[in-house]
Amino acid sequence: MLLRNAILAGTDADADAPYGLIARGTVAIEGERIAWAGPEAALPERFRGLDALDLEGRLVTPGLIDCHTHIVHGGNRAAEFEMRLEGRSYEEIARAGGGILSTVTATRAAGEDALLAAALPRVDALIAEGVTTIEVKSGYGLDIATECAMLRAARRIAAMRPVTVRTTFLGAHAIPPEYRGRADAYLDEVCLPALEAAHAEGLADAVDGFCEGIAFSPGQIARVFARARALGLPVKLHAEQLSNLGGARLAATNGALSADHLEYADEGDAAAMAAAGTVAVMLPGAFYTLRETRLPPIAAFRARGVAMAVATDCNPGSSPLTSLLLAMNMAATLFRMTPAECLAGVTAHAARALGLADAGHLRAGMRADLAIWDVESPAELSYRIGFNPLWKRIFGGRP
Ligand code: DI6
Ligand code: FE
């Protein structure tokens, strides 16, 4: 198939041109892969006979990648939302046994089928906006069986919907009530064995943790990372979300794919991440929901060439967000990321945050995961609020 008469963004036409924009471009698709992408005038002879679809000047981007979600979870936290509006803080609610732990109770009670069923409408909302890859974390089970059930439910999404799912083990997300005050015992008796079990079943593509005062210390996260390394799994980390504990540096030292949140990260963290090639994942939905005022050090990331991704962090507590387009708008308006950075953040850089070598670019050899938009310029994707200009989505070469 040939997509012609299109504006292309996300090509590597000119690495310095914003968006890698090609004003009148063509994409040739063979099977599941992009065979060629570039200026229409340069289309090689051998692709000219393919069935052509005239896009009438519409914009084609790589399919969007939501590289940080907790989209599989039980229940919701609307009651906690009300409590916060009555003046209680996120940390206060977490320390009182609410917050993440109330979702743990609901997730344990749900069972794998119900977890999958509850996740699908949220997945559909992302897909409707051109998302073709979703990362999904465990971390609301906090026992061996439920952590694995969450990951199995996540994997089953890909059998039910045309979307690629990457799973991340997040057993070190919170300390369950039965281990209160005994975080190390939780790691030894539950988290690390759950990681082994998930890996043995082939359920985890990566390993994550929550390095925070209300969760795990850098020393404890280092233990989880050591086990991940022993199993050959890449790592990433929720770091510097509510305070600076050195998580970003720990992640960088461990060659992490990404460090995520980062509101309290500093220059030194940016330098360490740049040296390690660790992606900075921006989660403006959590910043917005928690009414955080401390901004992530975008200028430092930009100056040092740290790749920035943008994701929804879709979760029932701090970011009940199922719109990656809105996350882009928030990253622009709240964090002052440029629309070009926002688009790279949900395509090329999001792919890097997941260690995906064959997604996130319009380039020969990549999976033919594309989004076609009824817009005149790529800035419109970040500019509008609550409007979905998706015209068509192509997943693995199939409309
Ligand atoms: N940081 C977050 O923003 C989510 N997890 C994390 O470590 C929030 C999880 C929740 O509140 O349920
Ligand atoms: Fe998260």
Side-chain angles (χ1 to χ4, degrees):
M1 176 172 51
L2 211 54
L3 303 176
R4 48 167 306 274
N5 192 13
I7 303 169
L8 306 185
T11 72
D12 359 86
D14 175 354
D16 293 329
Y19 305 106
L21 207 67
I22 294 175
R24 197 182 165 91
T26 295
V27 181
I29 298 171
E30 286 181 329
E32 284 203 326
R33 303 269 151 188
I34 296 175
W36 191 85
E40 197 135 312
L43 180 69
E45 188 62 43
R46 67 187 181 97
F47 298 120
R48 296 206 180 150
L50 293 175
D51 287 342
L53 182 62
D54 183 346
L55 295 186
E56 300 170 330
R58 292 188 177 87
L59 172 73
V60 179
T61 67
L64 306 191
I65 298 171
D66 193 350
C67 69
H68 180 140
T69 88
H70 309 251
I71 209 163
V72 168
H73 57 258
N76 72 70
R77 304 238 288 277
E80 179 185 316
F81 177 68
E82 286 185 306
M83 284 167 74
R84 285 208 311 273
L85 283 164
E86 283 154 14
R88 298 185 58 191
S89 78
Y90 180 75
E91 271 182 279
E92 208 183 325
I93 292 166
R95 288 190 194 279
I100 293 179
L101 294 185
S102 71
T103 299
V104 171
T105 305
T107 301
R108 287 177 176 177
E112 188 183 314
D113 290 346
L115 289 174
L116 173 63
L120 287 177
R122 298 189 281 264
V123 168
D124 289 339
L126 292 177
I127 287 175
E129 288 187 349
V131 169
T132 50
T133 299
I134 303 176
E135 184 257 16
V136 184
K137 301 177 194 296
S138 70
Y140 290 121
L142 310 183
D143 63 39
I144 298 174
T146 314
E147 284 295 303
C148 290
M150 286 185 74
L151 294 171
R152 268 185 237 112
R155 281 279 163 89
R156 284 168 64 194
I157 291 169
M160 312 279 293
R161 295 293 188 269
V163 72
T164 298
V165 171
R166 300 293 287 179
T167 52
T168 302
F169 176 82
L170 178 57
H173 190 200
I175 298 141
E178 60 274 21
Y179 281 92
R180 199 176 178 149
R182 298 187 298 132
D184 283 292
Y186 166 73
L187 291 181
D188 289 325
E189 293 164 24
V190 180
C191 181
L192 297 176
L195 171 54
E196 299 272 356
H199 178 67
E201 218 182 301
L203 290 174
D205 297 313
V207 175
D208 195 350
F210 187 20
C211 186
E212 193 53 67
I214 54 171
F216 297 91
S217 70
Q220 288 161 342
I221 295 294
R223 297 179 55 206
V224 177
F225 281 1
R227 188 65 59 93
R229 186 175 326 110
L231 297 173
L233 292 171
V235 299
K236 41 181 58 237
L237 190 63
H238 287 67
E240 282 43 290
Q241 181 186 4
L242 309 171
S243 61
N244 190 314
L245 290 187
R249 251 163 293 190
L250 175 71
T253 318
N254 280 270
L257 290 171
S258 70
D260 304 40
H261 287 288
L262 299 167
E263 280 86 339
Y264 288 80
D266 57 26
E267 283 279 344
D269 298 323
M273 290 171 64
T278 297
V279 176
V281 179
M282 298 297 127
L283 304 168
F287 176 94
Y288 168 85
T289 300
L290 301 180
R291 304 185 81 226
E292 178 58 68
T293 52
R294 169 90 168 222
L295 287 161
I298 299 289
F301 293 141
R302 192 182 282 138
R304 294 178 187 275
V306 175
M308 292 182 276
V310 174
T312 62
D313 195 18
C314 175
N315 77 67
S318 67
S319 190
L321 172 63
T322 49
S323 169
L324 195 52
L325 291 177
L326 183 52
M328 291 166 73
N329 173 266
M330 288 175 165
T333 300
L334 299 174
F335 293 173
R336 313 313 287 165
M337 287 174 67
T338 67
E341 287 171 335
C342 293
L343 184 58
V346 297
T347 53
H349 295 166
R352 239 181 87 182
L354 297 180
L356 290 176
D358 68 345
H361 300 262
L362 294 187
R363 183 202 293 157
M366 295 277 140
R367 264 183 68 83
D369 291 345
L370 311 172
I372 306 172
W373 309 93
D374 237 329
V375 300
E376 289 169 17
S377 86
E380 285 180 64
L381 300 180
S382 297
Y383 154 71
R384 293 187 193 283
I385 303 171
F387 179 72
N388 179 7
L390 187 76
W391 183 72
K392 213 181 272 302
R393 199 188 72 123
I394 295 180
F395 179 71
R398 288 165 186 250

